[in-house]
Amino acid sequence: MAVADYAHLWEPRPGWLNTASYGLPPRPAWEALQVALADWHVGATSWEPWDASTVRARESFARLIGAPAADVFVGSTVSAALAPIAAALPDGAKVLTDSVEFTSNVFPWQVHADRGIEVVTAPSEDFVAAIRPGVDVVAVSVVQSATGTVLDLPAVVAAGRRIGALVVLDASQAVGWLPLDVTGVDALVAHSYKWMMAPRGATFGYLSPALRDRCRPLHANWYAGSSYYGATMELPADARAFDQSPAWFSFVGAAPALELLEEIGIAEIHRHNVALANEFRAGLGLPPSDSAIVSADVPGADEAFKAAGVRAAVRDGRLRASFHVYSTRADVQLALDALS
């Protein structure tokens, strides 16, 4: 089936071009959340059915990135998911990131500056070449939030392996539209409220077994343990030891949204999104790209979009428009008409 066959599952107002800020919930996710909220309102159930959604969401995310569910942990934010990895670095380690990297994949490393952890940057176009001996961690987004640049992931993984550096990815702007496989990756974290179209508060992380053995579960809690009370801590041997206690309602919405992404197919969504983005780029006189995010220097675009009811974003002084499964050619034309 094509993306268009699922269009009835969303009800966006025309002109929503801002999935890079937050995604719109499909009907199954929205309805599941309303049921949970109604049950909560009157005390109709215990929490276990809500937690079953956390299990489903973990398993769906694992399939989306090609990982075993046992290597996936759940949490609330990208920065918190990265904290145990940053804490495991030896004193004096060097971390390479993109010069426009979103700060949730920068600050968790920089707070260890007192231990000699050094964060260095390179521009996207020179990033692979900057992966040279002396770099201990390559921490970078699969798709850049500010520019929409898609990482050459095989090249980054190969370069990291050559020098023995960890490859740690922020995939918040990628999972949900870009086909991914974590083979050769040490860690991948992603929030689900953008392209996975879940409520804010559900984050997922992949930890390779080799890296997991080097990390301490800094957020150890009842959910990751085996008992509610007492001074005996028993944590799982897999990535669940790094679970943060989940915000259940966020995962209630996340599970059906992720499962719908699987049903539609990421390859089909990728084709749809990039085609619309490139149609918009063509209307701006830009060459085609491989991204669902369009970043362009268009003076007055913010004001023109607001006047026409088009919702996009401005990042670093540039227009940022993003296209997802519920976007249409009519949205593209509305945006181009506004800018004309």
Side-chain angles (χ1 to χ4, degrees):
M1 296 176 71
V3 166
D5 296 321
Y6 294 86
H8 63 284
L9 296 179
W10 289 269
E11 300 175 359
R13 293 180 183 175
W16 177 252
L17 300 180
N18 204 9
T19 297
S21 290
Y22 70 84
L24 307 184
R27 184 175 299 141
W30 177 259
E31 292 177 348
L33 184 56
Q34 304 318 302
V35 170
L37 292 175
D39 286 347
W40 173 47
H41 181 60
V42 298
T45 183
S46 184
W47 56 267
E48 286 86 357
W50 304 334
D51 191 55
S53 297
T54 307
V55 175
R56 286 169 50 202
R58 184 200 310 266
E59 293 173 347
S60 183
F61 179 82
R63 291 190 294 267
L64 286 171
I65 64 170
D71 292 339
V72 170
F73 64 94
V74 299
S76 57
T77 67
V78 164
S79 53
L82 291 173
I85 305 172
L89 296 185
D91 293 355
K94 179 180 288 188
V95 180
L96 171 69
T97 192
D98 196 290
S99 55
V100 293
E101 189 72 15
F102 195 77
T103 50
S104 290
N105 192 20
V106 180
F107 293 174
W109 315 102
Q110 286 184 326
V111 294
H112 293 275
D114 62 312
R115 298 198 293 114
I117 303 298
E118 179 186 8
V119 175
V120 297
T121 67
S124 299
E125 60 271 20
D126 300 326
F127 193 79
V128 174
I131 304 174
R132 298 189 293 264
V135 170
D136 300 292
V137 182
V138 179
V140 65
S141 290
V142 179
V143 177
Q144 284 298 331
S145 172
T147 64
T149 300
V150 178
L151 188 71
D152 185 346
L153 184 54
V156 167
V157 168
R161 293 285 79 83
R162 280 196 297 270
I163 64 170
L166 295 174
V167 175
V168 180
L169 305 174
D170 180 350
S172 297
Q173 295 287 4
V175 181
W177 74 271
L178 185 69
L180 283 175
D181 189 300
V182 293
T183 301
V185 172
D186 296 289
L188 179 148
V189 298
H191 209 301
S192 63
Y193 72 96
K194 298 177 185 290
W195 304 90
M196 287 182 266
M197 304 173 293
R200 182 174 171 87
T203 291
F204 301 91
Y206 161 78
L207 275 178
S208 69
L211 177 56
R212 190 167 68 232
D213 290 344
R214 295 170 50 181
C215 296
R216 178 178 301 182
L218 298 179
H219 308 295
N221 62 90
W222 74 272
Y223 190 78
S226 59
S227 61
Y228 294 147
Y229 308 107
T232 300
M233 183 178 70
E234 295 181 0
L235 297 178
D238 58 20
R240 291 175 300 142
F242 295 84
D243 280 354
Q244 300 166 40
S245 183
W248 282 313
F249 297 146
S250 297
F251 287 91
V252 165
L258 268 65
E259 289 164 354
L260 180 60
L261 288 170
E262 290 189 88
E263 180 180 336
I264 300 172
I266 297 301
E268 181 66 19
I269 296 172
H270 176 267
R271 183 203 61 76
H272 170 87
N273 292 9
V274 173
L276 290 179
N278 281 337
E279 184 173 340
F280 182 60
R281 291 178 65 88
L284 296 179
L286 299 173
S289 179
D290 59 352
S291 182
I293 299 175
V294 177
S295 174
D297 185 9
V298 184
D302 191 35
E303 295 78 5
F305 273 3
K306 287 177 179 176
V310 177
R311 286 90 70 212
V314 175
R315 293 292 182 269
D316 198 24
R318 294 169 62 87
L319 167 69
R320 186 187 71 181
S322 41
F323 301 83
H324 200 17
V325 60
Y326 37 68
S327 305
T328 67
R329 296 189 69 189
D331 291 318
V332 174
Q333 193 58 52
L334 182 63
L336 292 175
D337 288 346
L339 296 178
S340 65

